[in-house]
Amino acid sequence: MSKAPDGKYADGYYYLDMGAGLDTVFLHGGGPGCTGWSDFGPVADLFAAERRVVIPDILQYGRSEKVRITGPMWDFHAASQVKLLDTLGIERADFVCNSWGGTIALNLAAKYPDRVRSLVVTGSMPVFYGPLAPLPENGHRGRTARDVYYGGEGPTREKMRQLITRLEWWDGDQLPDETLDMRYEQSLDPEERALAAMSDSPRGDWQDLTAELGQVQAPTLFMWGREDAFLTPDYPMMLARMVPNGNLHVMDHVSHHLQEEQPERYHAVVAAFLADVARREGVSK
């Protein structure tokens, strides 16, 4: 992974802005210590070679503001992302997302359809039912992992290694030390730790997006790891049927963070999908 470029601040967000071309926004996952660069740094240069790549830290993560959220959480994040798009002069974008970020983007596409050209969604859980019955840990495996990580003696580098290699990477032996260190050091951020320690719900009220999925008109690619530790590919197949223009690609020998484990393969599939969307719309890629 190359060194992160210098970022900027707007509307409470810290974000990176790279390349030129069609606007493409990358939204990262919700694991401890996740940031836009930790999740998408391995593929950022590949996409930025032919597109404008905007990578924000989602609010409550990374260098973005650690706001407390009240009310429906996905509505809050979608509205906040639209505000950032307005500030950056982005009328319409492709969204490439991992986990938490994908659920935000699906809701954004349903509520603000004119702002979304297409979606690529990996490892997201917009509904808490499906072919896995019950879903692992009642659909709360991510929150359970967060509680374990921040509980007990608190965050440690070894606990971060165990979290990533157990839940996010298929081949943990390939996890780079720089990625582990980046995630661990960010997880020590005092404001992130304070959010994790709150007994109430500073992340907002959970929403089921069943109704919203049927409203997503943008072409959508569910890009899934065959060995995903949270949800097997049966789940995104259900999502692909719920979204009017849904597609599914399953990649072998990866888990929850495809774009980190297999960046070149991930880029090849996603870039082809985005190029096809642009071709069908008659816009330059």
Side-chain angles (χ1 to χ4, degrees), residues 59-61 64-69 146-147 150 189-203:
L59 294 178
Q60 298 189 330
Y61 288 86
S64 292
E65 287 186 5
K66 309 304 186 295
V67 298
R68 293 193 60 169
I69 300 169
R146 176 181 292 278
D147 291 343
Y150 281 107
D189 177 87
E191 291 183 298
E192 284 198 25
R193 296 186 69 170
L195 284 172
M198 290 178 184
S199 59
D200 57 356
S201 180
R203 301 187 185 279

Side-chain angles (χ1 to χ4, degrees), residues 29-60:
C34 276
T35 67
W37 191 253
S38 76
D39 277 21
F40 289 105
V43 295
D45 288 335
L46 297 174
F47 284 101
E50 56 185 21
R51 288 174 165 265
R52 181 189 182 188
V53 168
V54 176
I55 311 177
D57 289 347
I58 294 170
L59 294 178
Q60 298 189 330

Side-chain angles (χ1 to χ4, degrees), residues 75-93:
D75 287 351
F76 173 88
H77 282 294
S80 299
Q81 286 289 334
V82 168
K83 184 179 179 182
L84 179 63
L85 296 180
D86 290 341
T87 298
L88 299 183
I90 298 175
E91 294 184 5
R92 197 160 177 251

Side-chain angles (χ1 to χ4, degrees), residues 108-128:
L108 194 159
K111 302 286 176 56
Y112 309 89
D114 293 343
R115 310 308 295 269
V116 180
R117 182 180 303 108
S118 71
L119 296 168
V120 178
V121 175
T122 296
S124 303
M125 191 187 299
V127 298
F128 288 92

Side-chain angles (χ1 to χ4, degrees), residues 166-177:
R166 183 172 67 90
L167 296 176
E168 298 177 357
W169 284 57
W170 176 72
D171 186 358
D173 291 339
Q174 301 303 313
L175 175 66
D177 284 340

Side-chain angles (χ1 to χ4, degrees), residues 7-18:
K8 303 175 183 178
Y9 290 90
D11 300 317
Y13 285 94
Y14 176 82
Y15 68 96
L16 308 174
D17 198 339
M18 308 166 59

